[in-house]
PDB file of all heavy atoms in Angstrom:
ATOM      1  N   PHE A 767      -2.184  13.091   6.052  1.00 90.00           N
ATOM      2  CA  PHE A 767      -2.535  12.731   7.427  1.00 90.00           C
ATOM      3  C   PHE A 767      -2.995  13.964   8.191  1.00 90.00           C
ATOM      4  O   PHE A 767      -2.285  14.975   8.239  1.00 90.00           O
ATOM      5  CB  PHE A 767      -1.335  12.094   8.131  1.00 90.00           C
ATOM      6  CG  PHE A 767      -0.972  10.744   7.568  1.00 90.00           C
ATOM      7  CD1 PHE A 767      -0.020  10.629   6.566  1.00 90.00           C
ATOM      8  CD2 PHE A 767      -1.609   9.595   8.019  1.00 90.00           C
ATOM      9  CE1 PHE A 767       0.302   9.392   6.024  1.00 90.00           C
ATOM     10  CE2 PHE A 767      -1.285   8.354   7.489  1.00 90.00           C
ATOM     11  CZ  PHE A 767      -0.332   8.245   6.487  1.00 90.00           C
ATOM     12  N   ARG A 768      -4.164  13.852   8.761  1.00 91.00           N
ATOM     13  CA  ARG A 768      -4.730  15.001   9.477  1.00 91.00           C
ATOM     14  C   ARG A 768      -3.912  15.372  10.712  1.00 91.00           C
ATOM     15  O   ARG A 768      -3.842  16.526  11.089  1.00 91.00           O
ATOM     16  CB  ARG A 768      -6.190  14.717   9.860  1.00 91.00           C
ATOM     17  CG  ARG A 768      -7.161  15.035   8.730  1.00 91.00           C
ATOM     18  CD  ARG A 768      -8.596  14.782   9.111  1.00 91.00           C
ATOM     19  NE  ARG A 768      -8.969  13.392   8.854  1.00 91.00           N
ATOM     20  CZ  ARG A 768     -10.187  12.907   9.047  1.00 91.00           C
ATOM     21  NH1 ARG A 768     -11.143  13.673   9.525  1.00 91.00           N
ATOM     22  NH2 ARG A 768     -10.449  11.641   8.781  1.00 91.00           N
ATOM     23  N   PHE A 769      -3.269  14.384  11.345  1.00 92.00           N
ATOM     24  CA  PHE A 769      -2.492  14.717  12.542  1.00 92.00           C
ATOM     25  C   PHE A 769      -1.228  15.509  12.194  1.00 92.00           C
ATOM     26  O   PHE A 769      -0.564  16.056  13.065  1.00 92.00           O
ATOM     27  CB  PHE A 769      -2.151  13.457  13.361  1.00 92.00           C
ATOM     28  CG  PHE A 769      -0.956  12.671  12.887  1.00 92.00           C
ATOM     29  CD1 PHE A 769       0.320  12.989  13.345  1.00 92.00           C
ATOM     30  CD2 PHE A 769      -1.099  11.610  12.013  1.00 92.00           C
ATOM     31  CE1 PHE A 769       1.426  12.255  12.932  1.00 92.00           C
ATOM     32  CE2 PHE A 769      -0.006  10.870  11.597  1.00 92.00           C
ATOM     33  CZ  PHE A 769       1.266  11.201  12.060  1.00 92.00           C
ATOM     34  N   TYR A 770      -0.908  15.596  10.882  1.00 88.00           N
ATOM     35  CA  TYR A 770       0.224  16.414  10.440  1.00 88.00           C
ATOM     36  C   TYR A 770      -0.267  17.547   9.531  1.00 88.00           C
ATOM     37  O   TYR A 770       0.428  17.975   8.631  1.00 88.00           O
ATOM     38  CB  TYR A 770       1.260  15.552   9.731  1.00 88.00           C
ATOM     39  CG  TYR A 770       2.610  16.220   9.556  1.00 88.00           C
ATOM     40  CD1 TYR A 770       3.232  16.884  10.616  1.00 88.00           C
ATOM     41  CD2 TYR A 770       3.261  16.203   8.323  1.00 88.00           C
ATOM     42  CE1 TYR A 770       4.461  17.506  10.448  1.00 88.00           C
ATOM     43  CE2 TYR A 770       4.496  16.815   8.154  1.00 88.00           C
ATOM     44  CZ  TYR A 770       5.084  17.461   9.219  1.00 88.00           C
ATOM     45  OH  TYR A 770       6.308  18.082   9.052  1.00 88.00           O
ATOM     46  N   GLY A 771      -1.472  18.010   9.788  1.00 87.00           N
ATOM     47  CA  GLY A 771      -2.000  19.171   9.073  1.00 87.00           C
ATOM     48  C   GLY A 771      -2.492  18.867   7.671  1.00 87.00           C
ATOM     49  O   GLY A 771      -2.583  19.758   6.830  1.00 87.00           O
ATOM     50  N   GLY A 772      -2.803  17.598   7.389  1.00 87.00           N
ATOM     51  CA  GLY A 772      -3.352  17.244   6.089  1.00 87.00           C
ATOM     52  C   GLY A 772      -2.319  17.115   4.982  1.00 87.00           C
ATOM     53  O   GLY A 772      -2.652  17.188   3.803  1.00 87.00           O
ATOM     54  N   ILE A 773      -1.044  16.932   5.361  1.00 85.00           N
ATOM     55  CA  ILE A 773       0.011  16.757   4.352  1.00 85.00           C
ATOM     56  C   ILE A 773       0.761  15.457   4.625  1.00 85.00           C
ATOM     57  O   ILE A 773       0.508  14.775   5.620  1.00 85.00           O
ATOM     58  CB  ILE A 773       0.998  17.949   4.338  1.00 85.00           C
ATOM     59  CG1 ILE A 773       1.682  18.111   5.714  1.00 85.00           C
ATOM     60  CG2 ILE A 773       0.292  19.233   3.939  1.00 85.00           C
ATOM     61  CD1 ILE A 773       2.733  19.211   5.737  1.00 85.00           C
ATOM     62  N   ASP A 774       1.697  15.110   3.722  1.00 84.00           N
ATOM     63  CA  ASP A 774       2.508  13.899   3.903  1.00 84.00           C
ATOM     64  C   ASP A 774       3.375  14.020   5.154  1.00 84.00           C
ATOM     65  O   ASP A 774       3.923  15.087   5.429  1.00 84.00           O
ATOM     66  CB  ASP A 774       3.447  13.701   2.707  1.00 84.00           C
ATOM     67  CG  ASP A 774       2.689  13.426   1.420  1.00 84.00           C
ATOM     68  OD1 ASP A 774       1.577  12.895   1.511  1.00 84.00           O
ATOM     69  OD2 ASP A 774       3.214  13.750   0.339  1.00 84.00           O
ATOM     70  N   VAL A 775       3.513  12.935   5.889  1.00 85.00           N
ATOM     71  CA  VAL A 775       4.440  12.946   7.018  1.00 85.00           C
ATOM     72  C   VAL A 775       5.864  12.913   6.458  1.00 85.00           C
ATOM     73  O   VAL A 775       6.099  12.385   5.371  1.00 85.00           O
ATOM     74  CB  VAL A 775       4.209  11.748   7.973  1.00 85.00           C
ATOM     75  CG1 VAL A 775       2.860  11.846   8.637  1.00 85.00           C
ATOM     76  CG2 VAL A 775       4.382  10.425   7.256  1.00 85.00           C
ATOM     77  N   PRO A 776       6.859  13.488   7.164  1.00 86.00           N
ATOM     78  CA  PRO A 776       8.232  13.496   6.651  1.00 86.00           C
ATOM     79  C   PRO A 776       8.815  12.087   6.562  1.00 86.00           C
ATOM     80  O   PRO A 776       8.412  11.184   7.298  1.00 86.00           O
ATOM     81  CB  PRO A 776       8.985  14.350   7.682  1.00 86.00           C
ATOM     82  CG  PRO A 776       8.147  14.314   8.920  1.00 86.00           C
ATOM     83  CD  PRO A 776       6.742  14.192   8.462  1.00 86.00           C
ATOM     84  N   GLU A 777       9.787  11.932   5.662  1.00 84.00           N
ATOM     85  CA  GLU A 777      10.382  10.617   5.422  1.00 84.00           C
ATOM     86  C   GLU A 777      10.988  10.004   6.683  1.00 84.00           C
ATOM     87  O   GLU A 777      10.889   8.805   6.911  1.00 84.00           O
ATOM     88  CB  GLU A 777      11.469  10.742   4.333  1.00 84.00           C
ATOM     89  CG  GLU A 777      10.932  11.010   2.940  1.00 84.00           C
ATOM     90  CD  GLU A 777      10.220   9.810   2.337  1.00 84.00           C
ATOM     91  OE1 GLU A 777      10.370   8.705   2.876  1.00 84.00           O
ATOM     92  OE2 GLU A 777       9.516   9.988   1.331  1.00 84.00           O
ATOM     93  N   TRP A 778      11.643  10.839   7.521  1.00 85.00           N
ATOM     94  CA  TRP A 778      12.320  10.301   8.696  1.00 85.00           C
ATOM     95  C   TRP A 778      11.350   9.635   9.657  1.00 85.00           C
ATOM     96  O   TRP A 778      11.724   8.750  10.416  1.00 85.00           O
ATOM     97  CB  TRP A 778      13.103  11.401   9.433  1.00 85.00           C
ATOM     98  CG  TRP A 778      12.268  12.522   9.984  1.00 85.00           C
ATOM     99  CD1 TRP A 778      12.045  13.735   9.415  1.00 85.00           C
ATOM    100  CD2 TRP A 778      11.539  12.542  11.226  1.00 85.00           C
ATOM    101  NE1 TRP A 778      11.224  14.513  10.209  1.00 85.00           N
ATOM    102  CE2 TRP A 778      10.907  13.797  11.329  1.00 85.00           C
ATOM    103  CE3 TRP A 778      11.363  11.615  12.264  1.00 85.00           C
ATOM    104  CZ2 TRP A 778      10.113  14.162  12.410  1.00 85.00           C
ATOM    105  CZ3 TRP A 778      10.565  11.975  13.348  1.00 85.00           C
ATOM    106  CH2 TRP A 778       9.951  13.233  13.412  1.00 85.00           C
ATOM    107  N   PHE A 779      10.063  10.053   9.613  1.00 87.00           N
ATOM    108  CA  PHE A 779       9.084   9.530  10.557  1.00 87.00           C
ATOM    109  C   PHE A 779       8.806   8.045  10.322  1.00 87.00           C
ATOM    110  O   PHE A 779       8.494   7.318  11.265  1.00 87.00           O
ATOM    111  CB  PHE A 779       7.791  10.339  10.462  1.00 87.00           C
ATOM    112  CG  PHE A 779       6.729   9.880  11.432  1.00 87.00           C
ATOM    113  CD1 PHE A 779       6.900  10.046  12.797  1.00 87.00           C
ATOM    114  CD2 PHE A 779       5.573   9.269  10.975  1.00 87.00           C
ATOM    115  CE1 PHE A 779       5.920   9.612  13.688  1.00 87.00           C
ATOM    116  CE2 PHE A 779       4.608   8.837  11.853  1.00 87.00           C
ATOM    117  CZ  PHE A 779       4.778   9.006  13.215  1.00 87.00           C
TER     118      PHE A 779
END
Side-chain angles (χ1 to χ4, degrees):
F767 292 93
R768 275 181 273 183
F769 82 88
Y770 195 47
I773 60 176
D774 295 333
V775 295
E777 290 289 346
W778 62 262
F779 181 67

